[in-house]
Every structure is written in structure tokens, then in C-alpha cells.
Amino acid sequence: MTMNRKLVLPIDRGSPLPIYYQLKEALKQQIESGALKPHERVPSERELEEAYHISRMTARRALEELEAEGYIYRAQGKGSFVAEPKIRQGLLWLTSFTEDMRERGMRAGARVLRAEVVSDERVARKLGIGSGEEFVMLQRLRLADGEPMALETSYLRRRFCPGLEGHDFTDRSLYSTLQEEYGLRLGRAEQAVEAKVADGFEAELLGVKPGAPMLSMERITYLDDGQTPIEYVRSIYRGDRYKLYVELKRR
Amino acid sequence: MTMNRKLVLPIDRGSPLPIYYQLKEALKQQIESGALKPHERVPSERELEEAYHISRMTARRALEELEAEGYIYRAQGKGSFVAEPKIRQGLLWLTSFTEDMRERGMRAGARVLRAEVVSDERVARKLGIGSGEEFVMLQRLRLADGEPMALETSYLRRRFCPGLEGHDFTDRSLYSTLQEEYGLRLGRAEQAVEAKVADGFEAELLGVKPGAPMLSMERITYLDDGQTPIEYVRSIYRGDRYKLYVELKRR
DNA sequence: ACGTCCAAGTGGTGTATACCACTTGTCGGT
DNA sequence: ACCGACAAGTGGTATACACCACTTGGACGT
């Protein structure tokens, strides 16, 4: 194809956003919208260089990042091509239950079981903080499309979010409340995933039989400074409704 | 610190390996050996430039890749620093069982249960290829420190590795055999993780009770062109011995 | 003694250039 | 008709340079 419909992508040299980033996002949008189809050729480094009057290294950087994010694949001597739509990554990203369900095409909901101030030595130890500290403990039955999906128990350090226990989290995202009401921005988390079987309490709440397979997750969340622990969560998901999807790369 | 013990890393300009790669691997080795400790400063881009008479962009590329692999973290205006091991170990990579167990500090082993040529329509459909294609099916009981850990069933496209079924994979890594004997380099994989309970067959082999919790994984592996499927694997891990540790980042 | 400012050092972005390895199609000779 | 050589185009590596944003610590003034 030499017809080369030019794809007039909006690159703004005055923007505070880097050029390679603007170019990357523009191409990404072209791919996600379907304007560029899987296995279709994407402009080469030198074509981009000429089209936007940028240096090849800048064009290259945009393409490199698109490759790293799985949007395109590249082959020496051949060119760069649109990759097949990948499975959305459930692992790797720190998201709330609400965001997770939306990505899976389901509607998130909750039934608040407990919301109170507690002290808990075990939790304090997990977070590596003094055992005297108080937590806001929030236990919710999480629903997806109205059906039970998971039992989620969060412990938040009260000194960072006093009064949190007074909010109603039936229809409200915990993470957006932390951000908007308390100015707390989350940065990263350490999560452990393991298989369990449902005990009587969990089975009753989640509508499965005792002994049914469950995915159990334990998470420690840190603020965006990367080192201040803010939350400990233990979640148990129905094994028949919940899978994790991961894209793995070779090191 | 200006004392600057020089860390004479071996960089060979005549080598077919790229300079940035040699530098990256050398620094990686320094970190893994403990010569560079967590949160310790690693040489800056300009220091590396001068020390090895390479350009800054080359030094930069080595550091960028180390950051992407979780070995270091970088901060504008401050420098580059060694990351804590748990960060690195929490990043998921496409690895073999052998490599995974080594990271966990255990010794990997295997008992080969089946190694034969088969056709399987369901597997072909998973890989998105023609249903007539033959596979080399390899089923192994995987051991960690001599104890059963997982049951692993791999299907490899026979046209890419004819005769693979003749090898003995008791002590041999499947992935290194693919690389060394057939020149097949793996690039990426899509993996699904879910909770299951052990059936009678699995329980017997793995030494757990029927109904015990298990982590089940399904993986499709692609060659390093990013689009040619080469392998379908189904693994089932003992829930009492195997957990996933993941480092989550905020998007 | 205290604060302000600034220079030096760091990583981040961008340009311009060169050569290499690999793929593909074409032109030309046999 | 075949095949080899070659040119053109692609991504991969490397150099050298310039300027920016940000952090830190020390010099300087008050």
C-alpha cells in the first residue's frame, strides 16, 4: 500500500507532554479504535520521522514503548505491525474492585458487613508499624452483576483517614474516597495469591458450598511515596467466577 | 562517596553482544551477588559514560532496562538506586518451572509421565491454529526439593520441534532444549490463573487429599516474534505449597 | 546563626548522524 | 527459466550533543 492516507495525528510541540508520548498515545488510540487493524503495518520509524519532522530516535521511542505494552510487534527488516488484541491484565495493576469489575464488563456492588475502628496486632505486624495504632476496618461482600463475587476485609490506618468509618461504602469506591476526601494517593502494593477452599461462613455469604475452590488474596498497599503502608486487605474470591489473567514477557 | 571503588566490569567491544546488554548483565550480577546493596547508589549515566568510554545513551539504555526489570529505581535529580529484592521477585516473567523454583530457593525436579505425539482439536483451537496439526504432548509431575509440587501438561507444535518426544525431560529444562536444539526463542505468554480442587488422579499423584485447594494455570506461549503460538500448557499446583507474589503498580 | 541563592549533579527529552543486520523485491546475466 | 547480486527499506546499536526539570549542598549575605 503506497496510498498512505496520512493519519493526521495531533502532535503539539508546545505541550508539556513529551513528543514521543503524544505520538505513542495517538497511535495507541488508532489501534484501539480499529483504524489500524491487527497485523496491519504501522508507519516505520523513518516514515514517522519525516511525517512529523521529529528525529528518528523520538519516533523509535514511541514504537518501542508500544511494543513493550503489547500493542505492536516488530521484526528487523520487515517493519512494525499491529498486534492482536491482548487480554486485559488483571494482575500487575493496583486497581479497586470497582475498576476490576468494569474491565471485566460487570457491574460492581457491595453489601457493607462491618465498618468500625479496631486495633489488631497481627495487622500492625503485617504492615510493619507500631502495634498500638488504630485501624478503620471495613468488611464488604462484593457483588458482580448483583451476585456475590468476593468477601473483602480492609484495614486502613486511622491516622491517615479519621472518620472513614462514617462513610457509606455501599455504592462508593474506597480508593476514590481516599483520594478525594483525604488526598491519599496510592502508589504500589504487594500482593500474595493462593488457592483455598470455602469455610462455612464464606460459603454461606458467597452462595457456594463449603469446600468450594476460592482464590485468596492478601494485599499491602503503599502510598505513592512507595514506602508508607496505608492498607492491609484480605479478599476471598469465588473460584467459579473469578480468574486472573496475566501477560508474561521473557526477560 | 567519592571513593569510587571502580567495579571493573568486563565490557568487550568486540563481542557480538551489544554493549548496553553487557553492561546491564554486569550490573545485574553485581546486584544479585550483593556487591551492590538495596538502596545503595549505582553509578550515574555520566559516570558510566566516562568509566567505559561509551555514550550516555548507551549507559542510559542499560539503566532503563534494569529499571524495567525491577533491579533499580531512579529519581530525577537524585540518581539510580538498587531496589529491594522483593520488588524484583514480584514482577512476573515468562519462566520455566526450573527457573521459578530456583528463584524460590528450591530445587526443581520431574517425573515424566507421558511423552508422545498427539492430535487435539481443543488445544489447536486454544492456539488458534488448524485442527490437523500434531503436537508433542509432555506430561510431567514436577517436584520441588523432591516433593510433588505440580502436574504440568504441555502441548508443543510438532512442526517446530520434531523428535522432541524422544528427549528425556527428567532433568532437562524444556525451554532450554527448545532454545538450544531447535533454535526456538520464546517471547511472551498469556496466562490465566484460577482456583480448583484436586480430583482423585491429581490428589494421588501430588500427595494431597481429593478436594484439596489447587492453583490451576493455563498458558499460551508465543515465539519472540510475538505472534506465533508454540505451546499450550496446563499446570495444577498444590495450594498448600505454592503462592504467587505480585508487585502491583498504580496505573 | 540563619536563610537565600546558586552551582553542580542527576535523570528526562530531543536532535542529527552513522553503520549494522536482516528482508524483500527487482534487475540482469546465465 | 532460473538464480544470483544488488538496491532499497526496515529495525537495532552506538555516538555526540544540547537543553530541561529537579535535588542537593555549600557559599554567601544578612
Side-chain angles (χ1 to χ4, degrees):
Chain A
M1 276 290 185
T2 350
M3 58 165 293
N4 215 354
R5 49 185 162 61
K6 259 280 178 60
L7 296 178
V8 199
L9 306 178
I11 302 295
D12 174 11
R13 298 188 84 93
S15 164
L17 295 171
I19 296 175
Y20 78 87
Y21 181 83
Q22 295 182 49
L23 182 54
K24 177 179 81 166
E25 292 302 317
L27 287 169
K28 191 185 289 187
Q29 199 274 328
Q30 290 288 311
I31 292 170
E32 278 173 344
S33 74
L36 289 169
K37 300 200 184 340
H39 305 292
E40 193 174 335
R41 222 179 133 276
V42 73
S44 73
E45 298 173 356
R46 285 159 180 97
E47 284 168 354
L48 291 170
E49 177 181 8
E50 178 149 4
Y52 297 102
H53 303 98
I54 58 180
S55 84
R56 189 181 153 209
M57 290 304 287
T58 302
R60 180 174 175 71
R61 170 126 189 220
L63 294 179
E64 272 176 340
E65 297 207 357
L66 284 175
E67 183 184 31
E69 293 178 28
Y71 284 91
I72 64 174
Y73 60 90
R74 321 182 74 195
Q76 195 173 86
K78 291 205 210 171
S80 303
F81 306 89
V82 177
E84 304 214 10
K86 56 175 183 186
I87 294 167
R88 277 293 155 221
Q89 315 208 348
L91 231 38
L92 296 195
W93 297 111
L94 171 56
T95 64
S96 67
F97 182 85
T98 308
E99 292 166 324
D100 188 13
M101 288 306 118
R102 185 168 49 236
E103 289 218 344
R104 292 165 185 260
M106 304 177 99
R107 187 172 39 82
R111 215 178 84 209
V112 178
L113 304 179
R114 301 173 68 180
E116 54 203 51
V117 175
V118 300
S119 282
D120 191 306
E121 172 126 13
R122 273 180 32 257
V123 172
R125 220 171 17 239
K126 293 262 189 195
L127 295 181
I129 60 177
S131 61
E133 239 190 87
E134 286 182 318
F135 299 100
V136 176
M137 189 263 251
L138 181 63
Q139 187 172 57
R140 290 184 286 181
L141 178 66
R142 305 308 311 246
L143 312 173
D145 287 346
E147 287 289 314
M149 173 65 98
L151 176 63
E152 188 184 82
T153 310
S154 307
Y155 295 83
L156 291 119
R157 296 174 72 180
R158 189 182 182 212
R159 47 177 296 200
F160 288 99
C161 51
L164 187 75
E165 68 279 9
H167 292 69
D168 176 13
F169 285 104
T170 303
D171 287 312
R172 195 154 179 188
S173 162
L174 171 59
Y175 284 3
S176 62
T177 301
L178 289 177
Q179 160 94 48
E180 288 151 23
E181 305 277 324
Y182 297 93
L184 298 173
R185 295 196 317 176
L186 307 180
R188 50 174 281 265
E190 296 160 9
Q191 180 161 302
V193 182
E194 62 185 316
K196 297 266 189 189
V197 294
D199 63 25
F201 175 66
E202 295 158 351
E204 170 76 25
L205 271 172
L206 289 162
V208 297
K209 296 194 178 120
M214 310 290 282
L215 261 191
S216 167
M217 317 220 214
E218 198 178 81
R219 175 193 286 184
I220 298 168
T221 312
Y222 296 83
L223 293 181
D224 67 352
D225 67 1
Q227 53 168 10
T228 306
I230 179 68
E231 178 198 40
Y232 170 80
V233 197
R234 190 173 179 289
S235 304
I236 188 152
Y237 284 76
R238 280 173 54 168
D240 61 335
R241 292 193 79 193
Y242 196 79
K243 276 192 202 186
L244 288 171
Y245 297 96
V246 200
E247 168 93 11
L248 304 173
K249 291 193 182 63
R250 190 66 168 157
R251 177 146 56 188
Chain B
M1 279 282 190
T2 349
M3 60 164 293
N4 215 356
R5 52 185 159 62
K6 259 278 176 63
L7 295 178
V8 197
L9 307 177
I11 302 294
D12 174 10
R13 298 188 84 93
S15 164
L17 294 172
I19 296 174
Y20 79 87
Y21 182 82
Q22 295 182 49
L23 182 53
K24 178 179 80 166
E25 293 302 316
L27 287 168
K28 191 184 288 187
Q29 200 275 328
Q30 291 287 312
I31 292 171
E32 276 172 344
S33 75
L36 289 168
K37 300 203 182 341
H39 304 291
E40 191 174 337
R41 219 178 135 279
V42 19
S44 74
E45 300 173 356
R46 286 161 179 94
E47 285 168 354
L48 291 170
E49 178 181 7
E50 178 150 7
Y52 297 102
H53 303 96
I54 59 181
S55 84
R56 187 178 155 212
M57 289 304 287
T58 302
R60 182 172 174 71
R61 170 128 190 219
L63 294 179
E64 274 176 340
E65 297 208 357
L66 284 175
E67 183 183 30
E69 294 182 23
Y71 283 89
I72 64 173
Y73 59 91
R74 321 182 73 194
Q76 195 173 85
K78 291 205 208 168
S80 303
F81 306 88
V82 177
E84 293 190 28
K86 67 181 175 190
I87 305 276
R88 171 171 88 246
Q89 288 158 4
L91 298 183
L92 296 176
W93 297 96
L94 171 53
T95 62
S96 66
F97 181 86
T98 308
E99 292 165 328
D100 187 14
M101 288 305 118
R102 184 169 48 234
E103 276 272 327
R104 292 165 184 264
M106 304 177 97
R107 187 171 39 83
R111 216 179 82 209
V112 177
L113 304 178
R114 301 172 70 182
E116 55 202 52
V117 175
V118 300
S119 281
D120 191 306
E121 173 126 13
R122 274 180 29 257
V123 173
R125 221 173 17 242
K126 293 261 190 196
L127 296 181
I129 59 176
S131 61
E133 240 190 85
E134 286 183 318
F135 299 99
V136 175
M137 189 262 251
L138 180 63
Q139 187 171 57
R140 288 184 285 181
L141 178 68
R142 305 308 312 247
L143 313 173
D145 288 344
E147 287 289 314
M149 173 65 98
L151 176 62
E152 186 184 82
T153 311
S154 307
Y155 295 82
L156 292 119
R157 296 173 72 180
R158 191 185 181 210
R159 46 178 295 201
F160 288 98
C161 50
L164 187 73
E165 69 277 8
H167 292 72
D168 177 13
F169 287 104
T170 302
D171 287 312
R172 196 153 177 190
S173 163
L174 171 58
Y175 284 4
S176 62
T177 301
L178 289 177
Q179 161 95 47
E180 287 152 24
E181 304 278 325
Y182 297 93
L184 298 174
R185 297 196 316 178
L186 306 180
R188 63 181 195 90
E190 294 160 7
Q191 180 162 308
V193 182
E194 63 186 314
K196 297 267 190 186
V197 293
D199 65 23
F201 174 66
E202 294 158 352
E204 169 77 25
L205 272 172
L206 289 162
V208 296
K209 294 194 179 122
M214 311 290 281
L215 262 191
S216 168
M217 317 226 207
E218 196 178 83
R219 175 192 286 185
I220 298 170
T221 312
Y222 296 83
L223 294 181
D224 69 351
D225 65 2
Q227 55 154 8
T228 307
I230 179 69
E231 179 197 42
Y232 169 81
V233 196
R234 191 173 178 290
S235 303
I236 189 152
Y237 285 77
R238 280 174 55 169
D240 61 336
R241 292 194 77 193
Y242 196 80
K243 277 192 202 186
L244 281 175
Y245 296 97
V246 196
E247 172 79 14
L248 305 175
K249 291 192 183 72
R250 189 64 167 159
R251 178 149 47 185

